[in-house]
Amino acid sequence: MELSNLLKNLPEQFFAKLSKNVADAVAEGRDVINLGQGNPDRPTPEHIVKVMQEATADPAMHKYSPFRGISPFKEAIVDFYAREYGVTLDANKEVAILFGAKAGLVELPLAILNPGDTMLLPDPGYPDYLSGVALGQVAFETMPLLAENNFLPNYADIPQDVLQRAKLMYLNYPNNPTGATATPEFFDETIQLAKDQDLTIMHDFAYGSLGFDGVRPPSFLQSEGAKEVGIEFYTLSKTYNMAGWRVGFAVGNEKLIEGLNLLQDHLYCSLFPAIQVAAAAALNGPQQCVTEQLQIYEKRRNTLITACEKIGWQVEAPAGSFFAWLRVPEGFSSEQFADTLLQEANVAVAAGNGFGSHGEGYVRVGLLVEDERLEEAIDRIATIPAFKDRICAK
């Protein structure tokens, strides 16, 4: 008995390998400062947990949920987008409940593309985008995200024949892994390109609540015409520290929403109703927890950047997300540098090449430990002889 060719062609799970390396080091009794993760370290706000606890005590919550989610959650999503972004949505036609945003990212190519179709992916980008490529048996081309263009794709550099073949484009701002943010003007340009090329846009808005220096990241759907060409995914994992709850949603174009819902009708019944009730409470409830969390991440970002500059490591401060995208010292590849940090300093980071070929020369650092541990991590890195030699030689 063998696995299917479909499963054999799945990409290696980048984060699983990273987690194993860290777990092996910890098992050896080493004090590892794990900056390679994307797992929020703070608890889910208490008021959300309380609603969940009360909901699970209700026997009605333990029955099958309606296939496409409960109305209170979908209405909460509509209210959330109206309040936060001034975007009007139809709860019945323009909202799809997701088992975490990752599920939707993998499902969308299966829902709207045919085997052999082409999609466009950012490079560097979230590695699990490739899971949807493999399962959908589609082709992909990459769009380089370069520092000189603020880690936004330059559409003029995409070959015309690629644009003509492409049917779907993935974008993600605030960006994982670079921490870059987009502007309304960039989204306007994207919508015009989509109309000109008959291209569908998916905007991954997982880090939508995390914009620094007083700049609020825009929603793709705020730009005129966005719902005509695309869809946006949101997750409660980052905004409300609900990563383990696996709850997110898609909003936007009616046909795309129907495609996702139809596919999910055949894959699932629906998300546990109590989780949907708690998710509605998160979106509708007090948002002070969101503000406080943003302040914590911004403080950690500043701590990290100051610590790097103190040891002579010149890096750029991210504009959003809870990641920093740091250039590796000359003479190291991304993977060599990440391995060196883990083996010689007990500091785990994610090698940039794991996010695509244009991630080479960088490592991704998570702002998901306390300030003191961030400072300690950089102090440890400063003691690595090869690091000191290459920084001082510059």
Side-chain angles (χ1 to χ4, degrees):
M1 184 180 296
E2 293 188 11
L3 296 177
S4 69
N5 290 334
L6 186 67
L7 293 186
K8 290 178 182 178
N9 289 329
L10 285 174
E12 180 181 26
Q13 232 302 341
F14 172 66
F15 295 113
K17 180 181 178 182
L18 177 64
S19 296
K20 183 181 184 303
N21 291 342
V22 172
D24 289 346
V26 171
E28 295 171 3
R30 293 154 57 185
D31 175 29
V32 176
I33 301 177
N34 188 359
L35 307 181
Q37 64 182 356
N39 198 5
D41 63 310
R42 294 175 54 75
T44 305
E46 185 177 345
H47 69 279
I48 301 171
V49 175
K50 184 177 180 181
V51 170
M52 177 67 171
Q53 290 170 332
E54 293 172 351
T56 57
D58 181 355
M61 293 291 123
H62 299 270
K63 298 179 181 293
Y64 287 124
S65 171
F67 269 83
R68 300 187 177 189
I70 63 173
S71 293
F73 183 25
K74 291 192 285 186
E75 292 293 347
I77 292 166
V78 169
D79 292 343
F80 173 79
Y81 257 75
R83 181 186 75 232
E84 299 294 330
Y85 303 110
V87 173
T88 301
L89 295 167
D90 184 320
N92 294 317
K93 297 180 179 179
E94 296 177 334
V95 177
I97 307 304
L98 303 174
F99 289 67
K102 175 183 171 179
L105 294 168
V106 174
E107 291 165 352
L108 187 59
L110 283 73
I112 68 169
L113 299 181
N114 295 312
D117 285 347
T118 298
M119 62 187 295
L120 296 170
L121 296 178
D123 180 1
Y126 180 48
D128 285 353
Y129 293 156
L130 295 173
S131 301
V133 169
L135 291 173
Q137 301 180 68
V138 300
F140 74 97
E141 299 281 351
T142 59
M143 303 178 294
L145 306 186
L146 306 176
E148 53 263 35
N149 200 43
N150 298 315
F151 298 109
L152 298 169
N154 185 345
Y155 295 141
D157 288 344
I158 302 175
Q160 191 60 35
D161 67 306
V162 172
L163 283 176
Q164 290 174 347
R165 284 188 282 113
K167 295 186 176 181
L168 173 63
M169 176 193 290
Y170 275 17
L171 295 171
N172 166 219
Y173 293 98
N175 184 257
N176 174 16
T178 70
T181 55
T183 62
E185 292 77 17
F186 169 75
F187 285 141
D188 291 343
E189 180 187 0
T190 300
I191 291 166
Q192 188 59 55
L193 177 74
K195 291 180 177 180
D196 291 342
Q197 299 293 334
D198 193 20
L199 187 63
T200 296
I201 307 298
M202 187 291 302
H203 181 233
D204 177 359
F205 204 30
Y207 302 91
S209 65
L210 301 177
F212 301 136
D213 303 315
V215 180
R216 182 181 178 85
S219 162
F220 170 67
L221 296 186
Q222 287 177 288
S223 288
E224 185 176 354
K227 283 199 290 185
E228 298 173 32
V229 299
I231 194 170
E232 186 162 79
F233 287 2
Y234 198 94
T235 175
L236 281 73
S237 296
K238 282 72 178 179
T239 307
Y240 302 101
N241 294 327
M242 295 171 68
W245 300 53
R246 307 316 303 143
V247 54
F249 55 87
V251 288
N253 182 272
E254 181 179 336
K255 287 185 178 179
L256 300 177
I257 293 297
E258 175 58 25
L260 281 172
N261 278 328
L262 181 58
L263 178 61
Q264 292 191 143
D265 285 348
H266 291 269
L267 293 175
Y268 319 111
C269 180
S270 187
L271 190 66
F272 181 35
I275 291 180
Q276 296 186 60
V277 170
L283 297 175
N284 285 336
Q287 301 297 301
Q288 183 62 26
C289 58
V290 180
T291 302
E292 291 172 354
Q293 179 166 269
L294 174 61
Q295 292 170 347
I296 288 170
Y297 286 140
E298 185 161 352
K299 183 172 181 290
R300 290 178 181 179
R301 179 203 65 164
N302 295 341
T303 295
L304 175 72
I305 300 304
T306 299
C308 288
E309 291 175 346
K310 182 179 178 182
I311 66 170
W313 190 5
Q314 298 302 312
V315 297
E316 295 293 327
S321 81
F322 50 45
F323 298 116
W325 189 236
L326 308 183
R327 286 190 181 273
V328 305
E330 292 180 8
F332 285 106
S333 71
S334 293
E335 200 157 355
Q336 288 170 340
F337 190 55
D339 289 344
T340 298
L341 298 194
L342 184 58
Q343 295 307 318
E344 299 188 28
N346 290 324
V347 174
V349 298
N353 63 313
F355 300 91
S357 62
H358 286 88
E360 181 54 60
Y362 294 86
V363 291
R364 191 192 74 175
V365 172
L367 305 174
L368 301 167
V369 297
E370 299 292 343
D371 292 73
E372 295 78 11
R373 290 289 269 179
L374 286 170
E375 290 177 318
E376 182 183 352
I378 302 304
D379 287 342
R380 290 185 188 183
I381 293 171
T383 66
I384 298 173
F387 177 84
K388 289 195 294 184
D389 292 346
R390 293 171 193 186
I391 286 293
C392 293
K394 295 179 68 173

